[in-house]
Amino acid sequence: MTAPAPGGAARGAVARADGLAEGVARLRRALRRGARVASPGNPLAVAQLELLSVVAEHPGVRPGQLARLLHMRPNTVTTIVNALTARGMITRATADQDGRAIELTATDAGQQAVHAWQATNAAVLHLALSALPGPQQRALTAAVPAIDALARAIDRLADTPPADDGSG
């Protein structure tokens, strides 16, 4: 038995992370495509649904907070918020403590759109999972807590400001 080359474990970890990143990206694309096929009448873009979901989870969120949470440019958030407001899915209100600030809330129609999107995604996943062999179904079920922990770890990284490297 030969010893692994120096750095072999690190290269293996990078390869696993790269493979996981590609797998997650493919799963996300497949789920979006599957949801579009399952709900062809849904008029909202994925970016609109994602933003609307965050507004539904955080009633009273401000546009600047949305931009930070979703890592979007403020002008992109404004464009999406304007479109969702025009569709009657988000309401704007002046903040109580700061009359210059705007707070956003999902309307009943917005909440229904989020729930319908979540239900469609769940149905697509259920159908796809049921087509897999039992061992793969069990492996995926067992991986759910680890996937959830990974998502929380990525959220923590995304919420941590980058360290100043002293170059500027």
Side-chain angles (χ1 to χ4, degrees), residues 19-35 121 124-125 128-129 132 140 147:
L20 180 60
E22 179 55 27
V24 168
R26 287 182 58 222
L27 176 61
R28 186 176 161 101
R29 286 190 303 270
L31 188 55
R32 276 196 308 251
R33 184 171 177 259
N121 281 304
V124 168
L125 278 170
L129 282 169
L132 296 178
L140 287 166
I147 291 168

Side-chain angles (χ1 to χ4, degrees), residues 4 8 15 54 58 73 88 139:
V54 174
H58 304 281
R73 293 178 180 201

Side-chain angles (χ1 to χ4, degrees), residues 22-155:
E22 179 55 27
V24 168
R26 287 182 58 222
L27 176 61
R28 186 176 161 101
R29 286 190 303 270
L31 188 55
R32 276 196 308 251
R33 184 171 177 259
R36 284 288 176 216
V37 169
S39 182
N42 186 342
L44 299 179
V46 172
Q48 290 175 316
L49 289 162
E50 288 178 351
L51 186 141
L52 186 56
S53 293
V54 174
V55 172
E57 290 171 19
H58 304 281
V61 68
R62 295 180 181 183
Q65 293 170 316
L66 274 176
R68 284 189 297 282
L69 284 168
L70 293 168
H71 292 276
M72 290 180 164
R73 293 178 180 201
N75 61 330
T76 302
V77 168
T78 299
T79 300
I80 295 171
V81 165
N82 287 343
L84 292 171
T85 301
R87 289 183 171 271
M89 301 212 173
I90 290 179
T91 58
R92 302 171 198 228
T94 304
D96 289 337
Q97 284 80 20
D98 182 354
R100 298 168 297 165
I102 299 298
E103 295 178 337
L104 306 170
T105 305
T107 63
D108 288 342
Q111 294 278 359
Q112 289 172 2
V114 168
H115 293 306
W117 183 51
Q118 291 169 338
T120 298
N121 281 304
V124 168
L125 278 170
H126 178 74
L127 282 171
L129 282 169
S130 69
L132 296 178
Q136 289 179 336
Q137 290 180 25
R138 288 188 292 279
L140 287 166
T141 299
V144 168
I147 291 168
D148 189 53
L150 179 60
R152 285 193 310 273
I154 291 168
D155 278 340

